[in-house]
Amino acid sequence: MRVTMTINGQQRSDEVEDRMLLVHYLREVAQLTGTHVGCETSLCGACTVLMNGKAVKSCTVLAAQADGAQITTVEGLAKDGELHPVQEGFWEEHGLQCGFCTPGMLMLATDLLSRNPDPSEADIRHALDGNLCRCTGYQHIINAVQYAARKMRGDARKSA
Amino acid sequence: MAAAVVPKFVGTRVKRREDPRLISGNGTYVDDVKLPGMLSMVILRSPYGHAKINSINVEAARKIPGVVAVVTGEDLKGKLGSLTTAAPAEHIPYHPPLAQGRVRFVGEAVVAAIATDPYKAQDALDAVEIDYDPLPVISDPEKALEDGAPIIHEEFKTNISTRAQVASGDIDGAMRSADRVIKFRLVNQRLAPVPMEPRGAVAQWNQGSGQLTLWSSTQGPHLLRSYLAEILKLPENRMRVIAPEVGGGFGAKLNVYAEEVLAGYLAMTLKHPIKWVERRRENLATNTHGRDQIVYVEAPVKNDGTLLGLKAKFICDAGAYLQLLTPLIPGFSGMMMTGCYKVPAMAFEQLVVFTNKMAPDAYRGAGRPEACYIAERTMDMVALELNLDPAEVRRKNFIPKEAFPAQIPSGLVYDSGDYAAALDKALKIIDYPKLRAEQAEARKQGRYIGIGLCSYVEICGIGPSAMLPPTMKGGGWESATIRMEPDCKVTVLTGVSPHGQGQETSFAQMIADEFGIGIDDVTVLHGDTAIVQYGTGTFGSRGTSVGGAALMMATQKLQAKMKKIASTMMETPPDQIVFHQGTMALASDLSKSIPMQKVVDAAYGYKVPIPGVEPGLNESAFYEPTACTFPFGTHACVVEVDPDTGVVKFLRYVAVDDCGRVINPLLVEGQVHGGIAQGIAQALYEEVIYDENGQLLTATLMDYAVPKAEMLPHYELDSTVTPSPVNPLGIKGVGEAGTIGSTPCVVNAVHDALKPFGIKNLDMPLKPERIWRAIKSARKA
Ligand code: FES
Ligand code: FES
């Protein structure tokens, strides 16, 4: 079947198998390998992307279901060479080590901050429910999200 | 010599240079490697814990369109060597990459299918017919030792792979003179490392050059090359291993696996690049596991809490085949089990036992978490039995600060330490006396608060190489090359293979300071055997301590050469020249200087020959550690147990760690956080479970409880700094400390909370159900 979607602002249209997962479409067809596969069973969150502005696990969405959608992947976060505040936050606060969970974390954080501009530590921990990180123990990820929140609210300061 | 120029970057929280590519989706992990004509490999695995293979029929599978090859163990007979262990053992089983005649654990590779895409390869496997005869299964190592137990490798006539016995001091005398001998059984349950990136391999055979290139998510590309070359019967200089971006390892990627052998061999025979990427189910079943030791502890003590000795009998699960370090890991547990304490006598006995399971091997801490668990549960058991304060029991038994370097009964020599200082600091941060009062008050109200302590010491940077088994390839050393390029930029080639630890940053900090240049003037390369000189790799918290020492050695050679050149130009003795802000300057007067670029030009241009100095600026060094380092610290936590549900809630978690000198505090924090998370996971959540038929019950992330953010506390970190006198940089290492310190800390806290119920010794993981049942039966009694 043919699917058409806008990925990181660029429209594309491809012939795909019915059973093709969105994550495979992004990685294999659109050649955007920033989105990772950690489990293929919707349990790790490494594959999280934004679909029409909402975080979804692209391993549990068929490419066909994303027909007509706006998709944002990690490759689409930075604008005009400027890092997105969540990217900046992860960099500033050492929110990543091996980096494998990171694209999913960034997309999830973007979604969270669009709904809650000032999340508490507990809010962030709760929001991370579906995204696993094996390296960081999460605390620096939480700091990173809060850094981004401050920045997006316009009062970015180095965290204590 | 004049005072060194003040470090600008070392010791500061420099943000990572690895991150820009990783936060923008530009990292290349194995699964991102794409080559023209690449085929996919998928593996069919044993559904049985133990079975005889009567026949395998692959005819139908081979006929499926798009399927290029379907390969069985029979097809490979005589063509490949056995997978192997680097450690000595009495009985080392033959371990073919694909099973031959028998399968011995669930997940063992049986058939490999190669096709134009993974779906077709899977279709091929679906069409394979295998006739198995199930055999009796052993999944409990203690049962494997019973008379009449089924034998897993018949040729050995026993399920014991190997045994060890170590004793020092008069342990029998200690038992006789003790007021009490406290005896208990500890279980260090089996864990799965679960790096978020599953393993993967891409193999490419270049027919023209006769060169095999293998991209692998490995922690040690050179070691992998050495072992694979032997199994594939290929000279090492015709094999290149690349560790691209590696998404976490934790020990599981420090091994030589069947799939790497198969991908390499099939790429060579089919003359097509081959990619294999693991699924999470395979990752949980067939990556090396960790821990899995049962220990019977006997602690002779005086009534005042003085420990007179420590005796332990270990039963260590080896799984069905030995992986690279399987028989080696328990040794660390035994050698380090006396922890921070002066113990006049010790003795341990270990049996390493085959079962129908995946082999355990290195997992973050690799033997030391088990050792620490013994020492620190012992301390709390002593306190409990003698009604003493656990902090006081520790303090009474600590090896005193004055005693360093301190030889412990196992023969190891602790480099430096101040265990009481770390304990005191942790107690102060949590306000221990006040906390005890609050705990007593809470108990009156029916609230069960527990305070847990763990004073740990661990062993890092294993060296000299003679400490490692003679059978192991490579050694305890590490290598580095440093090049000052013609434009004054520095390239570092390190033999360690970081996969999240951040040496691209910490090494750049060191080099920038050494030469008085910017961090961005330094590039650190690693993980490619065609680029980097032979190195040992990243494991055992050795990256910065041993890899950094090698880099310093190479740097000093390069600096000496540059000073020699500069001295001819400045007409000053070399030992009076320092590197300062892009110049080479007179130590006594930094304004008297020449630009470093001039020296570099002289070395590369060489139009004016420099007597006694070769052209070029490229130096290598291999650093052989003279001794191990011993990081230490105290973790303290406060938990509350809900007696009605058994749920454990964290109120505080404090860690005071001493990893010696610190290059980048931000990176150290990250290592400690991640380590604590994994240690807590063992204490409360994670466990690999095989049933009595050898079926793996924890084969998905639904069943294996890798902790989520809400399951972990907010960590409060502090430190003491006791430089290591045996490491040229004073560094001790920090990669595993958090994991080692946190598990006993949390287990002790939960037991402290449960003290009013008389509950003394529950096994990990301390899941709500286990706690709830214990409380229920305690209430009944
Ligand atoms: S890959 Fe989609 S949730 Fe794990
Ligand atoms: S940074 Fe490695 S899994 Fe999150």
Side-chain angles (χ1 to χ4, degrees), chain A residues 91-92 97-98 134 138-139, chain B residues 15-16 29 686 707 715:
Chain A
W91 192 11
E92 289 291 335
Q97 290 179 28
C98 79
R134 193 59 155 170
Y138 301 104
Q139 195 151 311
Chain B
K15 62 182 183 180
R16 291 203 322 170
Y29 298 82
E686 294 181 13
Y715 323 110

Side-chain angles (χ1 to χ4, degrees), chain A residues 95-102 132-136 141, chain B residues 196 247-248:
Chain A
L96 61 148
Q97 290 179 28
C98 79
F100 197 78
C101 71
T102 311
L132 297 176
C133 174
R134 193 59 155 170
C135 298
T136 64
I141 293 182
Chain B
M196 288 323 297

Side-chain angles (χ1 to χ4, degrees), chain A residues 24 27-28 36 38 74 87 91-92 94 97-100 106 121 125-126 129 134-140, chain B residues 15-16 23 29 31-32 34 119 192-193 196 280 666 669-670 673-674 686 707-710 712 714-715:
Chain A
H24 290 146
R27 290 180 50 84
E28 309 299 332
H36 296 152
V74 65
Q87 291 174 305
W91 192 11
E92 289 291 335
H94 189 23
Q97 290 179 28
C98 79
F100 197 78
L106 292 169
E121 173 164 349
R125 286 186 189 270
H126 186 69
D129 187 56
R134 193 59 155 170
C135 298
T136 64
Y138 301 104
Q139 195 151 311
H140 281 162
Chain B
K15 62 182 183 180
R16 291 203 322 170
I23 55 176
Y29 298 82
D31 196 14
D32 305 335
K34 293 190 176 142
Y119 298 97
M196 288 323 297
R280 183 55 67 187
L666 190 61
E669 272 172 27
H673 286 173
E686 294 181 13
K708 302 171 174 193
E710 275 188 309
L712 294 167
H714 182 96
Y715 323 110

Side-chain angles (χ1 to χ4, degrees), chain A residues 36-47 57 59:
Chain A
H36 296 152
V37 181
C39 71
E40 271 187 49
T41 49
S42 87
L43 294 166
C44 78
C47 64
K57 290 177 177 171
C59 74

Side-chain angles (χ1 to χ4, degrees), chain B residues 532-567:
Chain B
V532 177
Q533 70 291 335
Y534 204 98
T536 302
T538 292
F539 56 91
S541 304
R542 66 192 302 282
T544 310
S545 60
V546 187
L551 177 56
M552 255 352 260
M553 272 174 73
T555 301
Q556 281 158 6
K557 286 189 196 176
L558 182 68
Q559 288 182 324
K561 181 172 182 178
M562 291 176 72
K563 285 179 184 177
K564 227 172 177 176
I565 300 170
S567 92

